[in-house]
Amino acid sequence: MRRPLLLSLLFLVLLCTILLSIVIGPAGTPFLDLDQEVTSTIVFSVRLPRAIAAALVGIGLAASGVVMQGLFRNSMADPYLLGTSSGGALGAAFAIVFLNGTLHWVFAFIGCIVAMAIVYAISVRGGRVPVEQLLLTGIAVSVFLSALLSFLMYTSDKSLHQIFLWLMGGFWSVSWSDVTIGLLVLPASLSLLLFSRELNIFSMGEEDALHLGVDTERMKKGLLLASAFVTGISVAIAGSIGFIGLITPHLMRLLLGPDHRFLLPGAMMAGGVLLVLSDTLARTIGGEVPVGVITAFFGAPFFIFLLKRRYAP
Amino acid sequence: MIELQEVDLEYGAEKVLEGITFRSGAGELLGILGPNGSGKTTLLKAISRIVRPSNGVILVNSRSLQEFGQKELSREIAVVPQSSEPKFDFSVEEVVRMGRYPHKERFATEDEEDRRIASLAMEATGILHIASRSVLEISGGELQRVIIARALAQEPKVLLLDEPTSHLDLGQQVSILEMLKTLSRKIAVIAVFHDLNYAAHYCDRLILLHDHRILAMGDPESVFTPERIRAAFGIDVTVRRNPLTGRPAISPLWRRTENGAGGRRVHVISGAGEGADLLSALQNEGYAVSAGVLSVNDTDYAVATALGIPCISEPPFSAVSERAMEELKAALENAHAVVLTRGLWGRGNLGNLHALETSGAGCIVIVDCPSGEGEWDFTGGEASEILERLKAKGAVVTREVPSTLDLLKTIFISRKNSD
């Protein structure tokens, strides 16, 4: 069995990446020239929580990306499709502008969930939610929330920089308490795994899935809820980091095939690896580059490469 | 066993079907027919619970369809939709194994039994050799078979198919239909058909939908009448018994064009099949055609009756009778023009020529295109003489059907101008 082996390898790679990111940083390799106490502070209070948080957010975004692409039967879908990122951004900006940033991550989380809930509520028709309806409503709601965000940014110039930093996404202020919150990603992502067989069948079309015995409405509700939760937590910790949720599923589909029983766990680990690496890079080069810049900088060209490959004869 | 009782179906606010009542069970291939938009697909969707009836009940094994759990229903009914669009590159075998889903508990893994059933299904549909290919790479016909195999892997009691042959070439169509026929010995197979002849050939029973209702239901012989097909599809057809299968064979008639010939009466005297193309060409041009006298075992007679052309006839191998002669005289007097094919002449049909010569028919066209070089006059020269006399009296001679049509057109136009 090739695929279980690959999954175990990915897990090892994830652990190694986290270890690697602990020993790399602007303060140099700490074990050589700093005293014991500073070393342990840097490693255990700064780098370790930051690496674990990045891994958790990567896991969550990739899992949510796989689920969205499966649900929408479209490999262009990502975790932010249904208004979650603009909802989260609006929530955070609200807290930054009106509450001086107090509990902005809670507002970000609430923003994500509320945006998704609005999209879902608008799309329901007689107890059913057609995915096309969700998709289009998601776009409309995103645009609307972005308009509100722009208005908020325009009218409050003193917090503009802070909002802007948040929007780009990053892990610079991460502490152990963020990791604790981030741990919620794990059970939620694992619950997505319960639907992997249904996701496989769903990829043949919604009506086909019904004919094969999948309770599609319950499945959609469960998956959307869990994936909104995971995305919400990720956004609350690190802002809306792009491309991880879009590219990781693609990569893993190349490596592991389309079967969600392998694709989903594979993408979770790969998402963790990619985001930890991106964050390590972000804090190593030129001071503190927002990690969203790194993922977009490498992610977009890579995505184009994948597209070219896909349409090659 | 599926049973529908007084089922009404709506699409949005629009009424699609009403008062649909029928039942179907193992051992039959039931065909659903009707023009586009007559609700065939909607009817299948109602049976598979995608569309809910606005009235009436649908029973599966005497239980209401609504009571079934989704997996439970999928163990009873499998559906092959008109088309499928796989988006990710699962292998053929993986897709077929998805058919085992309704038989599995949430955490159960696929076992030997599932693999066996899936491979049987692939064998039955002839796709074992492409089991490991990606469903994104195979042809439309192969994909159709994969979806049918997936449905078979569900081990359903009822199999619903929406135009199962729509993406297939002729050979694949026949092999899929043969397979469905075999399947229908064990389970109920209900399929929407577009092709009336396939339906007539393969189905045990047919439902013809038209105008929101069941227009006819029963075996192909009783359902397919030219009147019903005209009502449902708006075309004229002939329904004959296919001598090879004993099933009805339906062929559409070319639409009659109205190009100025309307109302002109043309009588055709022919025989030995030589008038067949002439009869249909004349009718196509819009002439009111009559024919005879013809023996009922003559091909021309079969063609004339199939086209609905009034035909004076005699029993096989008999001479032209007094009665037929009277009818022929009346027809000749009535006709604006008479067209005669050279044909084969013997004592049996010589009466036609005598009647023509003695009638006052003014406009006679002789189509002198013998089907072979062999003997054609078996009357000891009498037929040839009559033909020569007719020619001498002004009958026009043509060589083939198109020039005959042109000739008639010029004759009628000049006559119209001189009127």
PDB file of all heavy atoms in Angstrom, chain A residues 73 128 194 197-198 200-201 203 207-208 210-214 258, chain B residues 45 50 70 74 79 85 87 90 98 101-102 106-108 150 154:
ATOM      1  N   ARG A  73     -17.227  20.690  -6.214  1.00  0.00           N
ATOM      2  CA  ARG A  73     -16.750  19.926  -7.363  1.00  0.00           C
ATOM      3  C   ARG A  73     -15.932  20.834  -8.285  1.00  0.00           C
ATOM      4  O   ARG A  73     -16.067  20.823  -9.488  1.00  0.00           O
ATOM      5  CB  ARG A  73     -17.931  19.325  -8.155  1.00  0.00           C
ATOM      6  CG  ARG A  73     -18.943  18.659  -7.255  1.00  0.00           C
ATOM      7  CD  ARG A  73     -19.765  17.615  -7.955  1.00  0.00           C
ATOM      8  NE  ARG A  73     -20.336  18.055  -9.202  1.00  0.00           N
ATOM      9  CZ  ARG A  73     -20.203  17.400 -10.342  1.00  0.00           C
ATOM     10  NH1 ARG A  73     -19.517  16.294 -10.403  1.00  0.00           N
ATOM     11  NH2 ARG A  73     -20.768  17.852 -11.422  1.00  0.00           N
ATOM     12  N   ARG A 128     -33.565  22.644   1.126  1.00  0.00           N
ATOM     13  CA  ARG A 128     -32.407  22.198   0.348  1.00  0.00           C
ATOM     14  C   ARG A 128     -31.491  23.372   0.025  1.00  0.00           C
ATOM     15  O   ARG A 128     -31.958  24.493  -0.114  1.00  0.00           O
ATOM     16  CB  ARG A 128     -32.855  21.556  -0.964  1.00  0.00           C
ATOM     17  CG  ARG A 128     -33.618  20.281  -0.724  1.00  0.00           C
ATOM     18  CD  ARG A 128     -33.897  19.584  -2.025  1.00  0.00           C
ATOM     19  NE  ARG A 128     -34.710  18.391  -1.767  1.00  0.00           N
ATOM     20  CZ  ARG A 128     -34.977  17.476  -2.670  1.00  0.00           C
ATOM     21  NH1 ARG A 128     -34.515  17.602  -3.888  1.00  0.00           N
ATOM     22  NH2 ARG A 128     -35.713  16.433  -2.376  1.00  0.00           N
ATOM     23  N   LEU A 194     -14.748  12.079   8.666  1.00  0.00           N
ATOM     24  CA  LEU A 194     -15.897  11.162   8.721  1.00  0.00           C
ATOM     25  C   LEU A 194     -16.684  11.192   7.408  1.00  0.00           C
ATOM     26  O   LEU A 194     -17.390  10.252   7.067  1.00  0.00           O
ATOM     27  CB  LEU A 194     -16.842  11.551   9.858  1.00  0.00           C
ATOM     28  CG  LEU A 194     -16.325  11.368  11.267  1.00  0.00           C
ATOM     29  CD1 LEU A 194     -17.369  11.827  12.270  1.00  0.00           C
ATOM     30  CD2 LEU A 194     -15.972   9.913  11.507  1.00  0.00           C
ATOM     31  N   ARG A 197     -15.798   9.435   2.506  1.00  0.00           N
ATOM     32  CA  ARG A 197     -16.411   8.570   1.507  1.00  0.00           C
ATOM     33  C   ARG A 197     -17.550   9.298   0.774  1.00  0.00           C
ATOM     34  O   ARG A 197     -17.706   9.195  -0.436  1.00  0.00           O
ATOM     35  CB  ARG A 197     -16.952   7.311   2.172  1.00  0.00           C
ATOM     36  CG  ARG A 197     -17.121   6.169   1.190  1.00  0.00           C
ATOM     37  CD  ARG A 197     -17.870   5.022   1.806  1.00  0.00           C
ATOM     38  NE  ARG A 197     -17.132   4.428   2.901  1.00  0.00           N
ATOM     39  CZ  ARG A 197     -16.901   3.124   3.000  1.00  0.00           C
ATOM     40  NH1 ARG A 197     -17.321   2.330   2.057  1.00  0.00           N
ATOM     41  NH2 ARG A 197     -16.270   2.624   4.027  1.00  0.00           N
ATOM     42  N   GLU A 198     -18.326  10.065   1.557  1.00  0.00           N
ATOM     43  CA  GLU A 198     -19.413  10.839   0.953  1.00  0.00           C
ATOM     44  C   GLU A 198     -18.865  11.888  -0.016  1.00  0.00           C
ATOM     45  O   GLU A 198     -19.444  12.136  -1.062  1.00  0.00           O
ATOM     46  CB  GLU A 198     -20.250  11.521   2.038  1.00  0.00           C
ATOM     47  CG  GLU A 198     -21.227  10.602   2.762  1.00  0.00           C
ATOM     48  CD  GLU A 198     -20.576   9.802   3.866  1.00  0.00           C
ATOM     49  OE1 GLU A 198     -19.346   9.889   4.031  1.00  0.00           O
ATOM     50  OE2 GLU A 198     -21.293   9.058   4.570  1.00  0.00           O
ATOM     51  N   ASN A 200     -16.175  11.624  -1.764  1.00  0.00           N
ATOM     52  CA  ASN A 200     -15.812  10.914  -3.003  1.00  0.00           C
ATOM     53  C   ASN A 200     -17.020  10.784  -3.913  1.00  0.00           C
ATOM     54  O   ASN A 200     -16.975  11.088  -5.096  1.00  0.00           O
ATOM     55  CB  ASN A 200     -15.318   9.503  -2.678  1.00  0.00           C
ATOM     56  CG  ASN A 200     -13.943   9.516  -2.049  1.00  0.00           C
ATOM     57  OD1 ASN A 200     -13.262  10.528  -2.080  1.00  0.00           O
ATOM     58  ND2 ASN A 200     -13.552   8.389  -1.495  1.00  0.00           N
ATOM     59  N   ILE A 201     -18.117  10.309  -3.343  1.00  0.00           N
ATOM     60  CA  ILE A 201     -19.325  10.077  -4.141  1.00  0.00           C
ATOM     61  C   ILE A 201     -19.886  11.407  -4.647  1.00  0.00           C
ATOM     62  O   ILE A 201     -20.337  11.522  -5.777  1.00  0.00           O
ATOM     63  CB  ILE A 201     -20.367   9.308  -3.312  1.00  0.00           C
ATOM     64  CG1 ILE A 201     -19.825   7.921  -2.981  1.00  0.00           C
ATOM     65  CG2 ILE A 201     -21.682   9.200  -4.057  1.00  0.00           C
ATOM     66  CD1 ILE A 201     -20.684   7.114  -2.065  1.00  0.00           C
ATOM     67  N   SER A 203     -18.386  13.905  -5.579  1.00  0.00           N
ATOM     68  CA  SER A 203     -17.636  14.447  -6.720  1.00  0.00           C
ATOM     69  C   SER A 203     -18.241  13.988  -8.044  1.00  0.00           C
ATOM     70  O   SER A 203     -17.927  14.523  -9.088  1.00  0.00           O
ATOM     71  CB  SER A 203     -16.171  14.042  -6.645  1.00  0.00           C
ATOM     72  OG  SER A 203     -16.019  12.701  -7.033  1.00  0.00           O
ATOM     73  N   GLU A 207     -26.858  14.936  -7.540  1.00  0.00           N
ATOM     74  CA  GLU A 207     -27.984  14.027  -7.728  1.00  0.00           C
ATOM     75  C   GLU A 207     -27.512  12.571  -7.711  1.00  0.00           C
ATOM     76  O   GLU A 207     -28.162  11.702  -7.143  1.00  0.00           O
ATOM     77  CB  GLU A 207     -28.710  14.346  -9.035  1.00  0.00           C
ATOM     78  CG  GLU A 207     -30.208  14.415  -8.853  1.00  0.00           C
ATOM     79  CD  GLU A 207     -30.907  15.059 -10.036  1.00  0.00           C
ATOM     80  OE1 GLU A 207     -31.004  14.381 -11.060  1.00  0.00           O
ATOM     81  OE2 GLU A 207     -31.348  16.218  -9.932  1.00  0.00           O
ATOM     82  N   ASP A 208     -26.360  12.331  -8.341  1.00  0.00           N
ATOM     83  CA  ASP A 208     -25.783  10.987  -8.305  1.00  0.00           C
ATOM     84  C   ASP A 208     -25.565  10.549  -6.861  1.00  0.00           C
ATOM     85  O   ASP A 208     -25.833   9.407  -6.499  1.00  0.00           O
ATOM     86  CB  ASP A 208     -24.437  10.961  -9.039  1.00  0.00           C
ATOM     87  CG  ASP A 208     -24.622  10.865 -10.544  1.00  0.00           C
ATOM     88  OD1 ASP A 208     -25.567  11.495 -11.046  1.00  0.00           O
ATOM     89  OD2 ASP A 208     -23.830  10.176 -11.209  1.00  0.00           O
ATOM     90  N   LEU A 210     -27.149  11.478  -4.207  1.00  0.00           N
ATOM     91  CA  LEU A 210     -28.450  11.124  -3.620  1.00  0.00           C
ATOM     92  C   LEU A 210     -28.859   9.717  -4.049  1.00  0.00           C
ATOM     93  O   LEU A 210     -29.300   8.906  -3.239  1.00  0.00           O
ATOM     94  CB  LEU A 210     -29.519  12.106  -4.103  1.00  0.00           C
ATOM     95  CG  LEU A 210     -29.906  13.268  -3.201  1.00  0.00           C
ATOM     96  CD1 LEU A 210     -30.940  14.125  -3.895  1.00  0.00           C
ATOM     97  CD2 LEU A 210     -30.438  12.772  -1.859  1.00  0.00           C
ATOM     98  N   HIS A 211     -28.714   9.428  -5.337  1.00  0.00           N
ATOM     99  CA  HIS A 211     -29.095   8.108  -5.850  1.00  0.00           C
ATOM    100  C   HIS A 211     -28.278   6.987  -5.227  1.00  0.00           C
ATOM    101  O   HIS A 211     -28.730   5.858  -5.139  1.00  0.00           O
ATOM    102  CB  HIS A 211     -28.913   8.057  -7.365  1.00  0.00           C
ATOM    103  CG  HIS A 211     -29.865   8.940  -8.098  1.00  0.00           C
ATOM    104  ND1 HIS A 211     -29.530   9.572  -9.274  1.00  0.00           N
ATOM    105  CD2 HIS A 211     -31.121   9.307  -7.820  1.00  0.00           C
ATOM    106  CE1 HIS A 211     -30.563  10.285  -9.682  1.00  0.00           C
ATOM    107  NE2 HIS A 211     -31.532  10.150  -8.808  1.00  0.00           N
ATOM    108  N   LEU A 212     -27.054   7.325  -4.815  1.00  0.00           N
ATOM    109  CA  LEU A 212     -26.205   6.303  -4.220  1.00  0.00           C
ATOM    110  C   LEU A 212     -26.421   6.204  -2.711  1.00  0.00           C
ATOM    111  O   LEU A 212     -25.731   5.462  -2.035  1.00  0.00           O
ATOM    112  CB  LEU A 212     -24.743   6.594  -4.530  1.00  0.00           C
ATOM    113  CG  LEU A 212     -24.359   6.288  -5.977  1.00  0.00           C
ATOM    114  CD1 LEU A 212     -23.048   6.933  -6.349  1.00  0.00           C
ATOM    115  CD2 LEU A 212     -24.273   4.788  -6.184  1.00  0.00           C
ATOM    116  N   GLY A 213     -27.355   6.990  -2.195  1.00  0.00           N
ATOM    117  CA  GLY A 213     -27.713   6.835  -0.797  1.00  0.00           C
ATOM    118  C   GLY A 213     -27.079   7.841   0.145  1.00  0.00           C
ATOM    119  O   GLY A 213     -27.152   7.679   1.360  1.00  0.00           O
ATOM    120  N   VAL A 214     -26.429   8.872  -0.395  1.00  0.00           N
ATOM    121  CA  VAL A 214     -25.821   9.884   0.475  1.00  0.00           C
ATOM    122  C   VAL A 214     -26.896  10.889   0.898  1.00  0.00           C
ATOM    123  O   VAL A 214     -27.623  11.413   0.054  1.00  0.00           O
ATOM    124  CB  VAL A 214     -24.681  10.623  -0.251  1.00  0.00           C
ATOM    125  CG1 VAL A 214     -24.109  11.717   0.630  1.00  0.00           C
ATOM    126  CG2 VAL A 214     -23.597   9.652  -0.664  1.00  0.00           C
ATOM    127  N   PRO A 258      -7.471  11.264  -5.900  1.00  0.00           N
ATOM    128  CA  PRO A 258      -8.632  12.042  -5.487  1.00  0.00           C
ATOM    129  C   PRO A 258      -9.408  11.462  -4.296  1.00  0.00           C
ATOM    130  O   PRO A 258     -10.329  12.096  -3.812  1.00  0.00           O
ATOM    131  CB  PRO A 258      -9.513  11.997  -6.738  1.00  0.00           C
ATOM    132  CG  PRO A 258      -9.167  10.690  -7.389  1.00  0.00           C
ATOM    133  CD  PRO A 258      -7.739  10.411  -7.068  1.00  0.00           C
TER     134      PRO A 258
ATOM    135  N   LYS B  45     -37.581  11.041 -12.025  1.00  0.00           N
ATOM    136  CA  LYS B  45     -37.107  11.748 -10.832  1.00  0.00           C
ATOM    137  C   LYS B  45     -38.075  11.600  -9.675  1.00  0.00           C
ATOM    138  O   LYS B  45     -37.682  11.644  -8.515  1.00  0.00           O
ATOM    139  CB  LYS B  45     -36.863  13.228 -11.146  1.00  0.00           C
ATOM    140  CG  LYS B  45     -35.624  13.423 -11.984  1.00  0.00           C
ATOM    141  CD  LYS B  45     -35.190  14.865 -12.041  1.00  0.00           C
ATOM    142  CE  LYS B  45     -33.840  14.934 -12.765  1.00  0.00           C
ATOM    143  NZ  LYS B  45     -33.296  16.275 -12.811  1.00  0.00           N
ATOM    144  N   ILE B  50     -36.289  12.493  -6.290  1.00  0.00           N
ATOM    145  CA  ILE B  50     -35.662  13.803  -6.464  1.00  0.00           C
ATOM    146  C   ILE B  50     -36.766  14.864  -6.528  1.00  0.00           C
ATOM    147  O   ILE B  50     -36.628  15.959  -5.998  1.00  0.00           O
ATOM    148  CB  ILE B  50     -34.818  13.844  -7.760  1.00  0.00           C
ATOM    149  CG1 ILE B  50     -33.732  12.782  -7.729  1.00  0.00           C
ATOM    150  CG2 ILE B  50     -34.236  15.227  -7.994  1.00  0.00           C
ATOM    151  CD1 ILE B  50     -32.610  13.038  -6.775  1.00  0.00           C
ATOM    152  N   GLN B  70     -32.281   7.300   3.137  1.00  0.00           N
ATOM    153  CA  GLN B  70     -31.599   7.490   1.854  1.00  0.00           C
ATOM    154  C   GLN B  70     -30.840   6.238   1.415  1.00  0.00           C
ATOM    155  O   GLN B  70     -30.940   5.816   0.269  1.00  0.00           O
ATOM    156  CB  GLN B  70     -30.649   8.683   1.957  1.00  0.00           C
ATOM    157  CG  GLN B  70     -30.232   9.252   0.608  1.00  0.00           C
ATOM    158  CD  GLN B  70     -31.406   9.858  -0.155  1.00  0.00           C
ATOM    159  OE1 GLN B  70     -32.230  10.563   0.401  1.00  0.00           O
ATOM    160  NE2 GLN B  70     -31.489   9.554  -1.442  1.00  0.00           N
ATOM    161  N   SER B  74     -31.628   3.543  -1.701  1.00  0.00           N
ATOM    162  CA  SER B  74     -30.627   3.249  -2.732  1.00  0.00           C
ATOM    163  C   SER B  74     -30.346   1.755  -2.859  1.00  0.00           C
ATOM    164  O   SER B  74     -29.733   1.321  -3.819  1.00  0.00           O
ATOM    165  CB  SER B  74     -29.322   3.974  -2.434  1.00  0.00           C
ATOM    166  OG  SER B  74     -29.568   5.352  -2.315  1.00  0.00           O
ATOM    167  N   VAL B  79     -30.277   4.526 -10.132  1.00  0.00           N
ATOM    168  CA  VAL B  79     -30.607   5.435 -11.221  1.00  0.00           C
ATOM    169  C   VAL B  79     -29.389   5.651 -12.127  1.00  0.00           C
ATOM    170  O   VAL B  79     -28.286   5.858 -11.636  1.00  0.00           O
ATOM    171  CB  VAL B  79     -31.062   6.806 -10.667  1.00  0.00           C
ATOM    172  CG1 VAL B  79     -31.429   7.743 -11.808  1.00  0.00           C
ATOM    173  CG2 VAL B  79     -32.232   6.629  -9.721  1.00  0.00           C
ATOM    174  N   GLU B  85     -21.051  13.889 -14.968  1.00  0.00           N
ATOM    175  CA  GLU B  85     -19.864  14.712 -15.151  1.00  0.00           C
ATOM    176  C   GLU B  85     -18.892  14.510 -14.020  1.00  0.00           C
ATOM    177  O   GLU B  85     -18.873  15.281 -13.063  1.00  0.00           O
ATOM    178  CB  GLU B  85     -20.271  16.185 -15.155  1.00  0.00           C
ATOM    179  CG  GLU B  85     -20.544  16.763 -16.502  1.00  0.00           C
ATOM    180  CD  GLU B  85     -20.838  18.243 -16.365  1.00  0.00           C
ATOM    181  OE1 GLU B  85     -19.875  19.011 -16.236  1.00  0.00           O
ATOM    182  OE2 GLU B  85     -22.021  18.604 -16.342  1.00  0.00           O
ATOM    183  N   LYS B  87     -15.648  14.929 -11.882  1.00  0.00           N
ATOM    184  CA  LYS B  87     -14.762  16.087 -11.835  1.00  0.00           C
ATOM    185  C   LYS B  87     -13.352  15.716 -11.404  1.00  0.00           C
ATOM    186  O   LYS B  87     -12.420  16.448 -11.685  1.00  0.00           O
ATOM    187  CB  LYS B  87     -15.324  17.138 -10.870  1.00  0.00           C
ATOM    188  CG  LYS B  87     -16.604  17.773 -11.343  1.00  0.00           C
ATOM    189  CD  LYS B  87     -16.349  18.819 -12.409  1.00  0.00           C
ATOM    190  CE  LYS B  87     -17.679  19.354 -12.892  1.00  0.00           C
ATOM    191  NZ  LYS B  87     -17.599  20.513 -13.700  1.00  0.00           N
ATOM    192  N   PHE B  90     -11.021   9.761 -10.425  1.00  0.00           N
ATOM    193  CA  PHE B  90     -11.177   8.444  -9.837  1.00  0.00           C
ATOM    194  C   PHE B  90     -11.046   7.399 -10.944  1.00  0.00           C
ATOM    195  O   PHE B  90     -11.349   7.670 -12.110  1.00  0.00           O
ATOM    196  CB  PHE B  90     -12.554   8.312  -9.191  1.00  0.00           C
ATOM    197  CG  PHE B  90     -12.671   9.040  -7.892  1.00  0.00           C
ATOM    198  CD1 PHE B  90     -13.323  10.259  -7.825  1.00  0.00           C
ATOM    199  CD2 PHE B  90     -12.122   8.503  -6.737  1.00  0.00           C
ATOM    200  CE1 PHE B  90     -13.415  10.945  -6.632  1.00  0.00           C
ATOM    201  CE2 PHE B  90     -12.215   9.181  -5.535  1.00  0.00           C
ATOM    202  CZ  PHE B  90     -12.868  10.406  -5.479  1.00  0.00           C
ATOM    203  N   MET B  98     -18.313   2.785  -5.684  1.00  0.00           N
ATOM    204  CA  MET B  98     -19.176   3.739  -4.974  1.00  0.00           C
ATOM    205  C   MET B  98     -20.595   3.179  -4.884  1.00  0.00           C
ATOM    206  O   MET B  98     -21.354   3.522  -3.979  1.00  0.00           O
ATOM    207  CB  MET B  98     -19.213   5.075  -5.716  1.00  0.00           C
ATOM    208  CG  MET B  98     -17.918   5.877  -5.604  1.00  0.00           C
ATOM    209  SD  MET B  98     -18.034   7.402  -6.557  1.00  0.00           S
ATOM    210  CE  MET B  98     -16.348   8.000  -6.421  1.00  0.00           C
ATOM    211  N   TYR B 101     -21.813   1.798  -1.576  1.00  0.00           N
ATOM    212  CA  TYR B 101     -22.020   2.691  -0.432  1.00  0.00           C
ATOM    213  C   TYR B 101     -23.302   2.408   0.354  1.00  0.00           C
ATOM    214  O   TYR B 101     -23.268   2.309   1.579  1.00  0.00           O
ATOM    215  CB  TYR B 101     -21.982   4.153  -0.902  1.00  0.00           C
ATOM    216  CG  TYR B 101     -22.276   5.163   0.174  1.00  0.00           C
ATOM    217  CD1 TYR B 101     -21.295   5.534   1.091  1.00  0.00           C
ATOM    218  CD2 TYR B 101     -23.540   5.724   0.292  1.00  0.00           C
ATOM    219  CE1 TYR B 101     -21.567   6.449   2.087  1.00  0.00           C
ATOM    220  CE2 TYR B 101     -23.817   6.645   1.295  1.00  0.00           C
ATOM    221  CZ  TYR B 101     -22.835   7.006   2.187  1.00  0.00           C
ATOM    222  OH  TYR B 101     -23.110   7.903   3.174  1.00  0.00           O
ATOM    223  N   PRO B 102     -24.462   2.248  -0.322  1.00  0.00           N
ATOM    224  CA  PRO B 102     -25.687   2.041   0.466  1.00  0.00           C
ATOM    225  C   PRO B 102     -25.694   0.739   1.266  1.00  0.00           C
ATOM    226  O   PRO B 102     -26.536   0.564   2.142  1.00  0.00           O
ATOM    227  CB  PRO B 102     -26.795   2.042  -0.593  1.00  0.00           C
ATOM    228  CG  PRO B 102     -26.125   1.842  -1.893  1.00  0.00           C
ATOM    229  CD  PRO B 102     -24.753   2.401  -1.756  1.00  0.00           C
ATOM    230  N   ARG B 106     -21.305   3.289   8.361  1.00  0.00           N
ATOM    231  CA  ARG B 106     -20.388   4.421   8.241  1.00  0.00           C
ATOM    232  C   ARG B 106     -18.914   4.034   8.342  1.00  0.00           C
ATOM    233  O   ARG B 106     -18.088   4.468   7.563  1.00  0.00           O
ATOM    234  CB  ARG B 106     -20.719   5.490   9.285  1.00  0.00           C
ATOM    235  CG  ARG B 106     -19.705   6.633   9.309  1.00  0.00           C
ATOM    236  CD  ARG B 106     -20.215   7.855  10.029  1.00  0.00           C
ATOM    237  NE  ARG B 106     -21.274   8.528   9.280  1.00  0.00           N
ATOM    238  CZ  ARG B 106     -21.062   9.292   8.217  1.00  0.00           C
ATOM    239  NH1 ARG B 106     -19.837   9.456   7.760  1.00  0.00           N
ATOM    240  NH2 ARG B 106     -22.056   9.870   7.600  1.00  0.00           N
ATOM    241  N   PHE B 107     -18.564   3.189   9.319  1.00  0.00           N
ATOM    242  CA  PHE B 107     -17.140   2.927   9.524  1.00  0.00           C
ATOM    243  C   PHE B 107     -16.674   1.619   8.893  1.00  0.00           C
ATOM    244  O   PHE B 107     -15.526   1.231   9.026  1.00  0.00           O
ATOM    245  CB  PHE B 107     -16.808   2.951  11.022  1.00  0.00           C
ATOM    246  CG  PHE B 107     -17.009   4.312  11.617  1.00  0.00           C
ATOM    247  CD1 PHE B 107     -18.131   4.587  12.402  1.00  0.00           C
ATOM    248  CD2 PHE B 107     -16.102   5.325  11.358  1.00  0.00           C
ATOM    249  CE1 PHE B 107     -18.329   5.846  12.928  1.00  0.00           C
ATOM    250  CE2 PHE B 107     -16.303   6.597  11.885  1.00  0.00           C
ATOM    251  CZ  PHE B 107     -17.415   6.856  12.664  1.00  0.00           C
ATOM    252  N   ALA B 108     -17.608   0.933   8.200  1.00  0.00           N
ATOM    253  CA  ALA B 108     -17.232  -0.330   7.583  1.00  0.00           C
ATOM    254  C   ALA B 108     -16.326  -0.073   6.390  1.00  0.00           C
ATOM    255  O   ALA B 108     -16.495   0.895   5.665  1.00  0.00           O
ATOM    256  CB  ALA B 108     -18.478  -1.086   7.143  1.00  0.00           C
ATOM    257  N   ARG B 150     -22.031   0.936 -11.915  1.00  0.00           N
ATOM    258  CA  ARG B 150     -22.159   1.465 -10.554  1.00  0.00           C
ATOM    259  C   ARG B 150     -23.563   1.207 -10.020  1.00  0.00           C
ATOM    260  O   ARG B 150     -23.741   0.805  -8.877  1.00  0.00           O
ATOM    261  CB  ARG B 150     -21.845   2.966 -10.551  1.00  0.00           C
ATOM    262  CG  ARG B 150     -21.735   3.578  -9.181  1.00  0.00           C
ATOM    263  CD  ARG B 150     -21.558   5.076  -9.260  1.00  0.00           C
ATOM    264  NE  ARG B 150     -22.779   5.712  -9.746  1.00  0.00           N
ATOM    265  CZ  ARG B 150     -22.883   6.997 -10.044  1.00  0.00           C
ATOM    266  NH1 ARG B 150     -21.844   7.782  -9.927  1.00  0.00           N
ATOM    267  NH2 ARG B 150     -24.024   7.492 -10.479  1.00  0.00           N
ATOM    268  N   GLN B 154     -25.107  -1.532  -6.847  1.00  0.00           N
ATOM    269  CA  GLN B 154     -26.049  -1.234  -5.759  1.00  0.00           C
ATOM    270  C   GLN B 154     -26.977  -2.416  -5.499  1.00  0.00           C
ATOM    271  O   GLN B 154     -27.714  -2.418  -4.520  1.00  0.00           O
ATOM    272  CB  GLN B 154     -26.907   0.001  -6.119  1.00  0.00           C
ATOM    273  CG  GLN B 154     -26.179   1.321  -5.990  1.00  0.00           C
ATOM    274  CD  GLN B 154     -27.032   2.491  -6.483  1.00  0.00           C
ATOM    275  OE1 GLN B 154     -26.753   3.081  -7.509  1.00  0.00           O
ATOM    276  NE2 GLN B 154     -28.095   2.835  -5.750  1.00  0.00           N
TER     277      GLN B 154
END
